[in-house]
Amino acid sequence: MTKFQQMENDGEQIKRFVFGSKSRHGASYVGEKLEILIPELPLPGYSFYTWPSAPVLAWFLWERRHSLINKRILEIGAGTALPGLLAAKCGAHVTLSDCSTLPKTLEHIQRCCRLNNLVPGPGKDIEVIGLTWGLFLDQVLQLGPLDLILGSDVFYDPSVFEEILVTISFILEANPGAKFICTYQERSADWCIENLLKKWDLVCSVISLDNLSEDLGVDPQELMGNHTVHLLEIVRKPIG
C-alpha cells in the first residue's frame, strides 16, 4: 500500500501510496486503482511527514470515491495533504489549508499538488490557502459553499482543540449540510473534546473502520502501525 519510491535533493523522500481493491489473496489490485506521490522532508514541525491518520482517512475516502465527484471539500491542517489530494483525484473540488503563518508548509502543499499533476491556484484543479484555526480572517469568511471538511490528526495538541472546534463550528453553521470527517490518533486517555463539542453546539460520532477490511481487503491495523486511530464525524447540533 505504501512504498518508498526514491530520494531527491536535500534529503526529500517520496512515498508512493496505492489505492484500490485487493484481489482475493491480497497479492494484486483489481478494478480501479489510484497512485499518489507524497514528498516528505526531514524538517522540524508536523507538516512535512505523513502521519498514520492520513492513510486511514484516505482509504475511507477511497471507499466512497464515487460520492466525491463535484463535492466541495476543505482539508484543514493539510500538511502533506494525502486525503485532500485523493479527493481531488476522485473528482472533488478541493481547497487545502494549513496555518497562514507557515509559508514553508503552504509551499510544500503546493509541491505535493504539482507532483500529482494537480495545478494549485484559484479556479484551478485544487487550491492552497492559509487558514489559521481560531482566527476569522478573509480566508475563512470567503471559503464559499462546502459539502465536506477533512482533518487528519489535527487533534495532536490539547492547546489548539478549542481553536479547531470553534473554526469548524463557524464553517458548519455557514454550511448546514456539511460534515467534518477526521481521523484522530489516540495519544493520551486524558484528552477529551466532549465539553468543547457541547460548548460549540457540535455532535460527534465514531465511524467504524471495519468496512476497510471487508470491502477493500485493507487491514486498518497495518495502516495504523502501533498506534490507535479513530475516525470521527462531527456535525452541528440539530436545532430544537
Side-chain angles (χ1 to χ4, degrees), residues 3-228:
K3 299 180 180 179
F4 295 101
Q5 187 184 34
Q6 65 184 35
M7 298 292 291
E8 293 193 352
N9 294 332
D10 301 321
E12 183 182 73
Q13 188 173 57
I14 307 292
K15 277 187 179 178
R16 174 173 168 257
F17 292 85
V18 181
F19 298 87
S21 296
K22 287 290 189 72
S23 64
R24 174 177 249 176
H25 301 291
S28 60
Y29 290 93
V30 294
E32 297 176 77
K33 187 175 78 170
L34 176 64
E35 295 184 2
I36 296 179
L37 301 179
I38 297 293
E40 296 186 341
L41 293 169
L43 296 177
Y46 301 101
S47 307
F48 306 99
Y49 174 78
T50 307
W51 298 90
S53 291
V56 174
L57 180 55
W59 272 102
F60 174 80
L61 294 172
W62 172 254
E63 185 184 26
R64 293 153 179 79
R65 58 194 176 278
H66 299 301
S67 69
L68 298 177
I69 298 172
N70 291 325
K71 288 292 190 295
R72 299 156 299 185
I73 295 176
L74 167 70
E75 182 174 4
I76 65 168
T80 57
L82 176 61
L85 291 171
L86 182 140
K89 286 283 191 178
C90 291
H93 304 291
V94 177
T95 299
L96 303 173
S97 71
D98 215 306
C99 184
S100 57
T101 60
L102 298 175
K104 288 186 177 180
T105 293
L106 298 175
E107 290 171 7
H108 189 66
I109 295 174
Q110 293 177 341
R111 161 90 171 116
C112 294
C113 293
R114 290 191 293 269
L115 193 60
N116 289 281
N117 299 314
L118 294 166
V119 180
K124 301 286 187 175
D125 301 325
I126 197 166
E127 189 170 359
V128 179
I129 66 170
L131 189 157
T132 302
W133 303 326
L135 295 181
F136 298 102
L137 304 177
D138 288 346
Q139 293 90 337
V140 178
L141 300 175
Q142 298 174 3
L143 278 173
L146 290 171
D147 300 299
L148 186 63
I149 308 167
L150 302 175
S152 169
D153 207 13
V154 293
F155 293 107
Y156 60 84
D157 179 354
S159 69
V160 299
F161 285 5
E162 184 160 22
E163 295 172 1
I164 295 169
L165 290 175
V166 69
T167 301
I168 294 300
S169 180
F170 178 84
I171 296 173
L172 291 179
E173 185 176 14
N175 298 273
K179 300 177 180 179
F180 176 39
I181 304 292
C182 65
T183 39
Y184 160 63
Q185 180 177 320
E186 190 175 301
R187 292 183 170 87
S188 172
D190 296 329
W191 293 2
C192 181
I193 61 172
E194 183 176 355
N195 290 334
L196 292 173
L197 290 168
K198 291 179 180 178
K199 179 178 179 179
W200 296 107
D201 294 324
L202 298 170
V203 178
C204 177
S205 57
V206 178
I207 301 174
S208 172
L209 294 169
D210 291 343
N211 287 343
L212 291 181
S213 60
E214 293 177 1
D215 299 340
L216 300 176
V218 178
D219 182 357
Q221 292 304 316
E222 182 182 345
L223 296 178
M224 299 176 198
N226 296 321
H227 309 285
T228 299

